[in-house]
Amino acid sequence: MDAATSRRLLSLSSLFLMEGRALGVEPLGSGLINDTFLVRSSGPEDYVLQRINDSVFRYVPLLQSNIAAVTGHLRAKLLSAGVEDAGRRVLRFLEAADGSGNSFVRDENGGWWRMSVFIRGSVTRDALDAAGAEAAGLAFGGFEEQLSDLPATLGETIPHFHDIEFRLEGFRSSLARDAAGRTGEIDAAGLAEGILRYADEMSLCGRLHREGKLPKRICHCDPKLNNILFDASGGGILCVIDLDTVMPSFVFSDFGDFLRTAANSLPEDSPEFSGIDFCMDVFRPFASGYLKAATFLTPAEKENLPYAACLFPYMQAVRFLADYLDGDVYYRTSYPGHNLVRARNQWALFLSARSKLSEMQDFINEYNG
Ligand code: GN1
Ligand code: MG
């Protein structure tokens, strides 16, 4: 990072009510949407400064008020349960120094910024053993359970975010528009045809919802493995971060999207497609943990968890491929074919998960007794 950028970020940090003085700043994490930085301070805490991508999150005040409702509710529960170290188990956003009471500021170009406390001694992980996968299941099942009595009504920070029928409609228009002249390349991979072949099967959740058989609940909706903070000294999971997409959705969102990253034998942008395997060694402990914590699930929700494990790699292949066709306008990319590689990776994961559907169903049925 050049000196001018670093000075600018330090001065943006001073627009929040932080303790101490900002000493230095560095890039943080690998998110594909927002820009994230770690701010080292002279006070007891370090901070995370983020520029919010407002072409993705179009109404930042709603976004931040959702997050305040969620973090406030979680914090109150931790405190009333007397949990030790509560400050490391839920995110805390800082107030702006301008007296507005807002948890965001706008820069001179209209950009939106926010700052939260960096959770001390936390790390993210790229892979999990069985105990870690079970802990993650408990964490996400527990997250939904804790929020099941949230008094506030949350808005959809991205309308139709995990609505597969809507995503497929978008994909079909991207194909027809061919804005970047790339349909030839994806034909070669046979990808579009494959996606359309499974469209009906994968749209099951929309049908169940319309038939009144599948409720919406407050879900995290971006539960990828690197959105979980682990205690660096081996004390297990501290908390779930990246709360931008916490909104009403089907529970499939958290169950399926977690496994999409954690049960993939390779990272989501690896081009080694033939090495991609949906790991049942992650599915089993994760599903056990999740079912243990999410005591509110209906039979229809439980029964369709294996479908959820297929739906999310499928939906992500649709989203990456649509973005590739649109000319890489949504996801941050590092090279020209990046989104196509990601789409093919997710497609391979979908096929692997789908080939294990009955194995997953047997496991869930057995668990339910
Ligand atoms: C995006 O920005 P990040 O990395 O948290 C995306 C998720 C995708 C993910 C794929 C708001 O998440 O839905 O699953 O990339 N978030 C949004 O890596 O679109
Ligand atoms: Mg995110």
Side-chain angles (χ1 to χ4, degrees):
M1 175 184 309
D2 61 45
T5 308
S6 149
R7 269 199 308 278
R8 173 171 148 70
L9 292 170
L10 289 175
S11 88
L12 281 160
S13 322
S14 69
L15 301 178
F16 292 91
L17 293 175
M18 62 186 282
E19 263 186 88
R21 220 163 33 80
L23 300 176
V25 58
E26 57 202 73
L28 182 68
S30 54
L32 304 183
I33 306 291
N34 298 317
D35 301 324
T36 309
F37 306 91
L38 173 65
V39 177
R40 303 262 178 215
S41 97
S42 61
E45 310 278 10
D46 290 329
Y47 296 93
V48 177
L49 177 70
Q50 250 186 343
R51 194 175 79 86
I52 303 167
N53 180 333
D54 64 349
S55 52
V56 171
F57 299 105
R58 293 191 173 270
Y59 194 57
V60 175
L62 167 82
L63 174 74
Q64 289 300 100
S65 92
N66 271 5
I67 292 179
V70 168
T71 53
H73 192 69
L74 295 176
R75 183 170 307 105
K77 288 204 167 176
L78 287 166
L79 293 176
S80 77
V83 172
E84 228 181 278
D85 226 9
R88 291 173 77 217
R89 295 183 184 273
V90 59
L91 288 181
R92 182 163 67 81
F93 285 84
L94 301 197
E95 232 179 80
D98 59 11
S100 60
N102 292 335
S103 60
F104 52 82
V105 300
R106 304 198 72 181
D107 64 22
E108 61 288 0
N109 308 317
W112 302 83
W113 295 81
R114 67 182 168 200
M115 192 146 88
S116 58
V117 174
F118 176 79
I119 301 205
R120 256 174 297 119
S122 63
V123 285
T124 56
R125 291 209 191 143
D126 297 323
L128 288 182
D129 58 10
E134 188 183 4
L138 288 166
F140 281 110
F143 184 84
E144 291 174 350
E145 176 102 17
Q146 300 277 300
L147 293 175
S148 60
D149 61 348
L150 183 76
T153 315
L154 299 191
E156 287 196 11
T157 53
I158 301 178
H160 299 291
F161 187 49
H162 279 170
D163 175 345
I164 185 61
E165 290 162 303
F166 175 82
R167 295 292 179 187
L168 281 164
E169 223 175 277
F171 173 67
R172 288 194 178 95
S173 353
S174 298
L175 259 182
R177 249 193 338 264
D178 194 14
R182 289 171 165 178
T183 48
E185 262 163 281
I186 71 154
D187 280 350
L191 215 48
E193 184 206 308
I195 283 174
L196 296 173
R197 195 161 4 110
Y198 287 96
D200 219 45
E201 180 181 320
M202 286 299 117
S203 299
L204 173 69
C205 52
R207 290 193 293 274
L208 289 175
H209 183 61
R210 285 190 292 276
E211 289 164 9
K213 295 178 187 153
L214 184 65
K216 290 209 175 180
R217 307 183 186 274
I218 305 295
C219 301
H220 183 280
C221 295
D222 193 8
K224 37 190 212 184
L225 182 52
N226 61 17
N227 280 335
I228 300 182
L229 295 186
F230 293 83
D231 190 310
S233 54
I237 289 179
L238 289 172
C239 69
V240 172
I241 56 168
D242 191 355
L243 305 174
D244 295 332
T245 51
V246 177
M247 64 174 116
S249 189
F250 307 131
V251 291
F252 302 160
S253 288
D254 293 346
F255 188 85
D257 209 24
F258 173 81
L259 288 169
R260 184 183 71 75
T261 50
N264 190 345
S265 56
L266 292 172
E268 74 176 9
D269 65 349
S270 164
E272 308 291 324
F273 312 126
S274 60
I276 289 175
D277 181 40
F278 180 85
C279 302
M280 289 300 289
D281 290 348
V282 175
F283 173 85
R284 279 185 291 261
F286 175 73
S288 310
Y290 181 81
L291 286 166
K292 208 178 287 171
T295 57
F296 56 82
L297 295 176
T298 65
E301 287 174 316
K302 283 189 226 172
E303 196 175 295
N304 286 299
L305 292 175
Y307 152 73
C310 300
L311 173 63
F312 277 81
Y314 178 83
M315 187 169 346
Q316 200 60 59
V318 170
R319 293 177 64 195
F320 281 144
L321 194 55
D323 194 37
Y324 181 69
L325 290 170
D326 295 346
D328 309 317
V329 293
Y330 187 88
Y331 294 107
R332 196 190 323 267
T333 52
S334 313
Y335 57 90
H338 204 164
N339 273 320
L340 178 58
V341 165
R342 288 171 173 149
R344 295 185 63 187
N345 174 305
Q346 295 296 292
W347 182 248
L349 182 65
F350 163 69
L351 293 177
S352 172
R354 196 169 174 290
S355 74
K356 299 177 184 182
L357 200 52
S358 59
E359 207 181 321
M360 290 192 257
Q361 276 154 350
D362 290 347
F363 181 84
I364 300 280
N365 291 340
E366 215 163 286
Y367 186 95
N368 289 330

